[in-house]
């Protein structure tokens, strides 16, 4: 006879330890950062100049700033309106902008080309980089007498001086970016069997682009600085010529307009390059992005 069924009591289950409560994470909305620089402002780049104009206006209105030392901002606005009505400001501005644009294009092209030769070749680096460093030690003002001997006193000399000034920062920044390309990317390109042009297209150009755009920002500013110098040398047109003519007749308001135009040209051109930099380097995750 079979044994009767026995009830099997379940064994006592040991209670599990209480779950560890993790600190609640704050939800971060798109575009919001807990750390870093914060959300960018669309027109934040004009905040500094606006504060400078406000400070300048307050000092002029209260009499702390002698108008014989520096005229008030509204004096420059009035003088600019008269120059615009006469057509002098537009004509001189167009000539100055064309000179700066030519020098910027030539200097940037030569700088990028020599940086590629120097950055991708040891022999090119030994030859070209040393010459560039020699050139950096010579001030542009010291080269102007030789530029006059070689190119004369006309437009060719002025554009060449601007191009030489732009060349150095574009070359240095591009060359540094090329030499800073991660060796792992080079090894990956070799593993994938990329050719020379494929390597340049997919590795070299993206790696050099940040340095190129940074050098271009320095180059744009250098172009306007060099323009101020060359337009003081036997120029018959341009913003610098307008300033020189106003200095001879003690027209401080016109001189101030010329300086403000130079400043605005430098500010707006740098902002344009920064906009290109943001669009072209959108794939990079940086503190400012």
């Amino acid at each position: 006879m079979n044994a009767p069924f026995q009830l099997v009591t379940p064994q006592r289950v040991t209670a599990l330890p209480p779950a560890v409560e993790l600190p609640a994470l704050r939800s971060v909305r798109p575009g919001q950062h807990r750390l870093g620089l914060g959300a960018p402002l669309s027109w934040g780049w004009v905040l500094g100049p606006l504060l400078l104009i406000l400070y300048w206006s307050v000092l002029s209105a209260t009499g702390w700033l002698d108008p014989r030392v520096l005229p008030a901002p509204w004096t420059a606005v009035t003088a600019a309106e008269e120059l615009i009505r006469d057509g002098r400001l537009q004509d001189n501005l167009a000539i100055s902008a064309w000179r700066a644009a030519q020098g910027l294009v030539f200097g940037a092209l030569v700088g990028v080309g020599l940086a590629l030769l120097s950055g991708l070749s040891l022999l090119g680096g030994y030859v070209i980089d040393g010459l560039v460093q020699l050139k950096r030690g010579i001030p542009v003002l010291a080269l102007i007498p030789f530029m006059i001997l070689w190119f004369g006193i006309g437009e060719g000399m002025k554009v060449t001086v601007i191009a030489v000034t732009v060349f150095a920062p574009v070359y240095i920044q591009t060359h540094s970016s090329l030499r800073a390309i991660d060796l792992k990317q080079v090894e990956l390109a070799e593993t994938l069997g990329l050719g020379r042009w494929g390597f340049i297209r997919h590795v070299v150009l993206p790696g050099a682009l940040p340095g190129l755009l940074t050098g271009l920002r320095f180059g744009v500013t250098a172009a306007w600085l060099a323009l101020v110098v060359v337009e003081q040398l036997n120029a018959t047109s341009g913003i610098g010529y307008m300033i020189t003519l106003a200095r001879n007749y003690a027209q401080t308001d016109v001189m101030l307009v010329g300086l403000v135009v130079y400043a605005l040209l430098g500010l707006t051109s740098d902002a344009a390059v920064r906009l290109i930099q943001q669009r072209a380097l959108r794939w990079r995750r940086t503190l400012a992005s």
Side-chain angles (χ1 to χ4, degrees):
M1 186 175 182
N2 296 332
F5 293 103
Q6 296 180 357
L7 295 176
V8 180
T9 58
Q11 297 179 354
R12 182 173 176 268
V13 180
T14 306
L16 295 176
V20 178
E21 295 183 0
L22 296 177
L25 297 177
R26 291 189 304 167
S27 60
V28 181
R29 297 189 301 271
Q32 180 183 2
H33 302 277
R34 290 190 302 270
L35 299 174
L37 300 180
L41 299 176
S42 300
W43 298 95
W45 57 278
V46 299
L47 181 60
L50 289 178
L51 290 176
L52 176 62
I53 294 175
L54 177 62
Y55 182 67
W56 180 14
S57 302
V58 171
L59 291 180
S60 299
T62 56
W64 284 89
L65 186 60
D66 191 345
R68 294 173 297 180
V69 176
L70 184 64
W74 44 87
T75 304
V77 173
T78 304
E81 291 177 351
E82 295 178 359
L83 292 172
I84 292 174
R85 282 196 298 267
D86 296 339
R88 293 167 53 191
L89 184 59
Q90 302 94 305
D91 296 339
N92 290 316
L93 177 59
I95 294 172
S96 295
W98 176 239
R99 286 172 181 158
Q102 292 181 87
L104 178 64
V105 171
F106 293 149
L109 289 177
V110 175
V112 172
L114 292 182
L116 290 173
L117 293 176
S118 177
L120 300 178
S121 170
L122 285 177
L123 180 60
Y126 294 147
V127 175
I128 298 174
D129 196 59
L131 294 176
V132 173
Q133 300 308 321
L134 286 176
K135 184 269 165 196
R136 289 184 62 197
I138 302 176
V140 177
L141 291 176
L143 293 175
I144 288 180
F146 291 96
M147 294 289 184
I148 294 175
L149 290 176
W150 298 337
F151 302 100
I153 201 66
E155 291 295 316
M157 181 274 298
K158 296 178 176 61
V159 173
T160 303
V161 171
I162 297 173
V164 171
T165 308
V166 171
F167 158 77
V170 173
Y171 169 86
I172 292 170
Q173 295 292 334
T174 307
H175 180 269
S176 300
S177 295
L178 287 171
R179 291 298 176 91
I181 293 177
D182 195 346
L183 189 59
K184 294 180 181 179
Q185 298 181 5
V186 181
E187 295 173 350
L188 179 61
E190 294 175 349
T191 303
L192 296 176
L194 292 180
R196 190 69 175 176
W197 291 110
F199 171 70
I200 292 176
R201 178 183 176 185
H202 297 288
V203 178
V204 172
L205 293 181
L209 190 59
L212 169 61
L213 293 175
T214 302
L216 192 59
R217 287 187 60 189
F218 287 108
V220 167
T221 304
W224 296 119
L225 294 177
L227 181 69
V228 176
V229 176
V230 297
E231 287 191 336
Q232 308 292 325
L233 302 173
N234 196 32
T236 58
S237 59
I239 299 298
Y241 168 74
M242 187 179 70
I243 294 176
T244 303
L245 200 61
R247 181 187 61 192
N248 295 335
Y249 292 98
Q251 296 175 328
T252 56
D253 53 349
V254 178
M255 293 170 57
L256 180 60
V257 170
L259 294 180
V260 171
V261 169
Y262 276 133
L264 291 177
L265 288 174
L267 180 65
T268 53
S269 57
D270 180 74
V273 177
R274 290 177 64 181
L275 180 61
I276 297 173
Q277 191 176 27
Q278 292 175 1
R279 299 290 178 86
L281 302 179
R282 188 176 296 176
W283 50 271
R284 298 180 68 199
R285 299 286 295 173
T286 61
L287 187 64
S289 60

